[in-house]
Amino acid sequence: LAGPAEALADAAAPLRKRRSHPGYRLGRAAEHLGAGSLAELLGLHYSRWRGMPEPVPGARPAASRFSGPPPPVGDAALATMLLDVEGYLPDDLCVKTDRATMAASLEARLPFLDPAIAEFAWSLPTALKIEGDTGKAVLRRVLYRHVPRALVDRPKMGFEVPLRRWLTGRLRDWADDLLAEDRLRRQGWLNAAMVARCWSEHRSGAKNWQTEIWHALMLQAWLDQPLPLPLDPSGSSRRGD
């Protein structure tokens, strides 16, 4: 698959400026073609900095549920759901929901994770969960009884913040300071040339690196906070610059 994957990636490259653009999805599909297993495919789907040098020099990918063999359930769709439940759900969606609500002194409830509902959902055959290219089939049938179909059959909408606009607008000076290449080189934590290049491309509008840049900024902002025993990659007591 290497040949078709590379050709697909080359074709998508000029179109990947916007993550909502079909070219972005085409490029992601090209990356997924190189996966050797279902678990690896999901790992590629959730990972960042794909197809680039490691953002942290000398670092190795951490072992995760996605670096091993897929669950031995025999059904690829069910294995995908299980990997999501074991990884993406607790390590991303649930923890972020908890942090966001607790920060506002709110107590969130996740009704679909009620043990009885979850057990019932896992007991259903895949054919009742996915019909053709439509997921959540059983849930949709229930909702059709109570709400207009137009509210059910519409594109999925996440709760993303407008990172791209922020980073090229009100947060640009802050990001410029934290991602200055000389600063990154002095600190030694990140691949300074690569991060600086991504930031330059993002600022110019050539590419949309909003998520990757945000990850780097979160590390930089954390390094900028004083701690009693700061560290740097060499093991000294100096953490920031």
Side-chain angles (χ1 to χ4, degrees):
L1 294 177
E6 292 172 358
L8 195 59
D10 290 342
L15 307 174
R16 298 186 64 180
K17 183 175 178 179
R18 298 196 311 274
R19 290 177 185 256
S20 60
H21 195 286
Y24 176 76
R25 297 181 182 275
L26 186 64
R28 291 292 298 273
E31 294 166 351
H32 294 169
L33 286 175
S37 68
L38 176 63
E40 184 182 350
L41 186 149
L42 283 177
L44 287 171
H45 178 72
Y46 292 132
S47 66
R48 302 297 174 186
W49 305 101
R50 296 175 303 275
M52 302 175 67
E54 288 296 330
V56 179
R60 292 178 296 177
S64 72
R65 194 68 182 87
F66 303 117
S67 58
V73 294
D75 182 329
L78 186 60
T80 302
M81 297 175 197
L82 184 56
L83 285 168
D84 263 356
V85 167
E86 292 182 339
Y88 184 51
L89 191 63
D91 296 338
D92 190 286
L93 299 181
C94 287
V95 70
K96 288 179 179 177
T97 298
D98 188 58
R99 289 172 181 170
T101 53
M102 289 294 98
S105 299
L106 296 175
E107 188 74 30
R109 289 291 180 264
L110 306 172
F112 288 133
L113 295 184
D114 180 273
I117 295 178
E119 184 177 355
F120 171 71
W122 281 111
S123 72
L124 296 174
T126 302
L128 290 181
K129 300 173 184 175
I130 304 174
E131 294 180 344
D133 60 353
T134 302
K136 305 182 180 74
V138 173
L139 180 59
R140 290 175 188 273
R141 292 178 188 176
V142 174
L143 290 174
Y144 291 154
R145 303 174 190 170
H146 305 284
V147 298
R149 293 180 71 101
L151 295 179
V152 180
D153 298 331
R154 62 178 183 174
K156 186 176 181 179
M157 298 177 64
F159 296 96
E160 295 184 355
V161 295
L163 283 181
R164 185 179 186 185
R165 188 172 75 244
W166 286 354
L167 291 173
T168 55
R170 60 193 299 182
L171 297 183
R172 178 165 177 164
D173 291 343
W174 170 74
D176 273 337
D177 180 53
L178 290 178
L179 299 179
E181 187 170 356
D182 59 341
R183 177 175 186 160
L184 295 173
R185 291 188 186 281
R186 287 197 306 271
Q187 291 172 322
W189 285 100
L190 297 174
N191 184 327
M194 184 183 73
V195 173
R197 175 173 60 82
C198 289
W199 177 228
S200 176
E201 291 176 348
H202 187 85
R203 285 185 307 173
S204 68
K207 289 187 179 181
N208 185 1
W209 295 108
Q210 61 180 22
T211 306
E212 293 81 359
I213 290 299
W214 192 253
H215 290 171
L217 282 169
M218 291 302 97
L219 173 63
Q220 290 299 97
W222 179 79
L223 290 171
D224 210 35
Q225 300 301 310
L227 286 180
L229 295 174
L231 298 174
D232 70 16
S234 65
S236 73
S237 61
R238 187 180 183 186
R239 186 181 61 162
D241 64 346

